[in-house]
Amino acid sequence: MKLIMRADDLGFSEAVSLGILKAVKDGVITSVGLMPNMESAQFGYELIKDCDIALGQHTNICVGKPLSDPRLIPSLVQANGEFCSSKEIRAREKDTINIQECEIEIEAQLLRFQEITGRNPDYFEGHAVFSKNFFIALENVAKRHGLFFCNPALDKEWEKQNGIVGLPFFKADEQGLYNPQQYMEENLHYIEENACCVAIFHPGYLDHYILTHSSFTHVRAMECDFLCSEWLKKWLAQHQIELVDFRNYQDIAL
């Protein structure tokens, strides 16, 4: 049984990035997604650049400012040139994201990822926007550059082709929290029944930016503690679950 422990949102803010570092060094995270357009992206990368993890591009089209000219991507931005929020995008009756415009921004974020890290991402996926057009654009750019496009939990065909099954997303309570021990126990059968699974988390500490720009707040600090907990480490050992990362599956995907 193999499990990829993925942490999203590196670079979202300095505090989030510090929490992710904690979850890597003292916890069980094996793969980390960097948001190239965010102001703290360089800061986040510097924190984890020497860690033995898979580093992916967590492409972001719903927080902050785009890296491409806003005039070239009108379906992605507000009048002030910043991205439309994920909440606003999810409220639309139709998927109005333009694939070609989306590819322009994805390419710009890939270039920034390369500028920051000096290399290509180990895997390639998207942040918070569940749009078919967004996924098509991501896959198109990934194919163009020979990158490992990832879409577990949302695309059953992708899971079948790549041999990686995404654990279901957690169900939050009224405070936006959940019981992570219960979550792992309830989803153990997925890990036992499949060759490889991926669990997606958003560990992080909190600062003013994240408190004002994300619906994920206290859950980040809770997950950070959980991912470093002795309970989780013992649970993984008890069930003989081997931790791997997306680099183990690049050859299969490409």
Side-chain angles (χ1 to χ4, degrees), residues 21-39:
L21 175 65
K22 172 76 172 178
V24 169
K25 296 192 73 174
D26 297 338
V28 296
I29 288 298
T30 64
S31 299
V32 172
L34 175 68
M35 301 170 79
N37 75 304
M38 302 302 285
E39 291 185 7

Side-chain angles (χ1 to χ4, degrees), residues 95-111:
D95 188 350
T96 58
I97 290 176
N98 180 282
I99 294 174
Q100 288 72 34
E101 292 175 16
C102 205
E103 288 185 26
I104 291 172
E105 176 60 22
I106 295 168
E107 291 272 8
Q109 292 194 24
L110 174 59
L111 179 59

Side-chain angles (χ1 to χ4, degrees), residues 71-194:
R71 293 172 296 182
L72 300 177
I73 54 170
S75 72
L76 304 183
V77 296
Q78 306 172 62
N80 63 4
E82 294 190 0
F83 284 128
C84 300
S85 71
S86 59
K87 182 179 180 180
E88 190 273 330
I89 294 171
R90 285 194 292 268
R92 296 173 184 172
E93 292 184 3
K94 296 183 179 180
D95 188 350
T96 58
I97 290 176
N98 180 282
I99 294 174
Q100 288 72 34
E101 292 175 16
C102 205
E103 288 185 26
I104 291 172
E105 176 60 22
I106 295 168
E107 291 272 8
Q109 292 194 24
L110 174 59
L111 179 59
R112 178 64 60 83
F113 183 101
Q114 294 166 334
E115 290 172 347
I116 292 172
T117 68
R119 64 182 182 88
N120 280 332
D122 295 314
Y123 62 98
F124 200 71
E125 41 82 28
H127 169 75
V129 174
F130 304 131
S131 154
K132 183 178 180 180
N133 288 348
F134 182 35
F135 297 147
I136 290 171
L138 282 166
E139 189 167 13
N140 287 347
V141 174
K143 287 180 178 178
R144 194 147 59 234
H145 294 274
L147 304 174
F148 181 16
F149 170 65
C150 290
N151 202 16
L154 296 171
D155 187 337
K156 297 303 178 186
E157 187 59 32
W158 181 92
E159 292 181 336
K160 186 184 302 182
Q161 291 176 356
N162 292 278
I164 304 173
V165 173
L167 299 188
F169 297 111
F170 69 83
K171 296 179 181 179
D173 61 21
E174 294 179 354
Q175 287 74 44
L177 302 174
Y178 70 104
N179 184 326
Q181 294 185 11
Q182 182 180 342
Y183 171 79
M184 296 303 292
E185 293 279 18
E186 289 178 347
N187 290 297
L188 176 61
H189 67 98
Y190 284 99
I191 302 171
E192 293 176 332
E193 295 166 3
N194 295 281

